[in-house]
Amino acid sequence: AQTIHQWPVAEIKAVGSPLSLGCTIKGKSSPNLYWYWQATGGTLQQLFYSITVGQVESVVQLNLSASRPKDDQFILSTEKLLLSHSGFYLCAWSRQGGSDYTFGSGTRLLVI
Amino acid sequence: GDQVKQSPSALSLQEGTNSALRCNFSIATTTVQWFLQNPRGSLMNLFYLVPGTKENGRLKSTFNSKESYSTLHIRDAQLEDSGTYFCAAGASSSFSKLVFGQGTSLSVVP
């Protein structure tokens, strides 16, 4: 069975500090991978997607970047956090060509 | 504008009663997913639909692609059904994007 793991569970970071969030999928080769962001009380907004190692497409510009260094790993990062980066970050996967998403348990970020 | 419009935005149900949530799509949609987000934030998959109907226990969902809407029926609501329900539109021509509605916040009360 496939499992999706996100880390860390929660972070409190200072404005201007760097950030790195991780996501790992086990039990599935060559998945499509996605990063979503959710403001408190809001809907989910797609940030990035990746269909293969080393290839990432940006959907929304939020002064964030993403990378896929391995088939089963997706990283979200920034060198300088803004207050507006606070929220809930969710990683998801689907099979190639599929729109059936499974989400990880998320990382809650508070920027102060 | 709202590509995926969910209604109602909030709902309070008495335990044991029934209700329906709805999503209307203004974008090309070939698949629909329904999720339940718990207070911790985890998204639980409820249904993945191509046009048609699926049922799972007290939940039943329909996706009508010709009229661009989907419904989620909750029968005999229980306290543990409380949370935020999201529908999301997928398109086989653009598998890379799942577009979410604004969510329905459901509170089931005794």
Side-chain angles (χ1 to χ4, degrees), chain A residues 20-89:
Chain A
S20 181
L21 304 180
C23 174
T24 298
I25 290 84
K26 295 298 181 190
K28 180 68 185 173
S29 63
S30 303
N32 289 345
L33 297 175
Y34 313 90
W35 277 111
Y36 276 77
W37 174 78
Q38 184 182 29
T40 302
T43 189
L44 284 84
Q45 184 173 33
Q46 192 178 67
L47 301 176
F48 298 95
Y49 68 89
S50 171
I51 61 173
T52 191
V53 175
Q55 185 180 344
V56 176
E57 300 295 330
S58 173
V59 177
V60 172
Q61 285 296 328
L62 282 181
N63 295 307
L64 295 166
S65 60
S67 64
R68 187 169 177 177
K70 300 180 189 176
D71 186 52
D72 64 353
Q73 198 173 74
F74 207 18
I75 307 295
L76 183 70
S77 60
T78 183
E79 293 192 0
K80 268 189 166 182
L81 279 165
L82 306 172
L83 286 173
S84 57
H85 286 137
S86 292
F88 194 49
Y89 289 85

Side-chain angles (χ1 to χ4, degrees), chain A residues 38 42-43, chain B residues 6 33-35 37 84-87 100-103:
Chain A
Q38 184 182 29
T43 189
Chain B
Q6 268 188 259
Q33 271 193 273
W34 283 91
F35 299 90
Q37 188 170 40
T84 303
Y85 289 79
F86 287 98
C87 67
F100 280 76
Q102 295 297 319

Side-chain angles (χ1 to χ4, degrees), chain B residues 23-93:
Chain B
C23 278
N24 290 310
F25 309 110
S26 59
I27 53 172
T29 303
T30 53
T31 62
V32 174
Q33 271 193 273
W34 283 91
F35 299 90
L36 170 58
Q37 188 170 40
N38 65 23
R40 263 203 67 246
S42 295
L43 278 170
M44 184 190 329
N45 286 17
L46 297 177
F47 292 103
Y48 171 71
L49 295 157
V50 292
T53 298
K54 282 189 177 178
E55 197 161 351
N56 184 5
R58 295 179 293 101
L59 300 180
K60 181 169 137 182
S61 185
T62 295
F63 171 34
N64 184 324
S65 57
K66 288 182 182 172
E67 296 182 31
S68 300
Y69 75 87
S70 178
T71 55
L72 176 68
H73 291 262
I74 303 172
R75 177 174 53 83
D76 185 24
Q78 301 297 306
L79 297 177
E80 61 264 27
D81 295 333
S82 296
T84 303
Y85 289 79
F86 287 98
C87 67
S92 58
S93 62

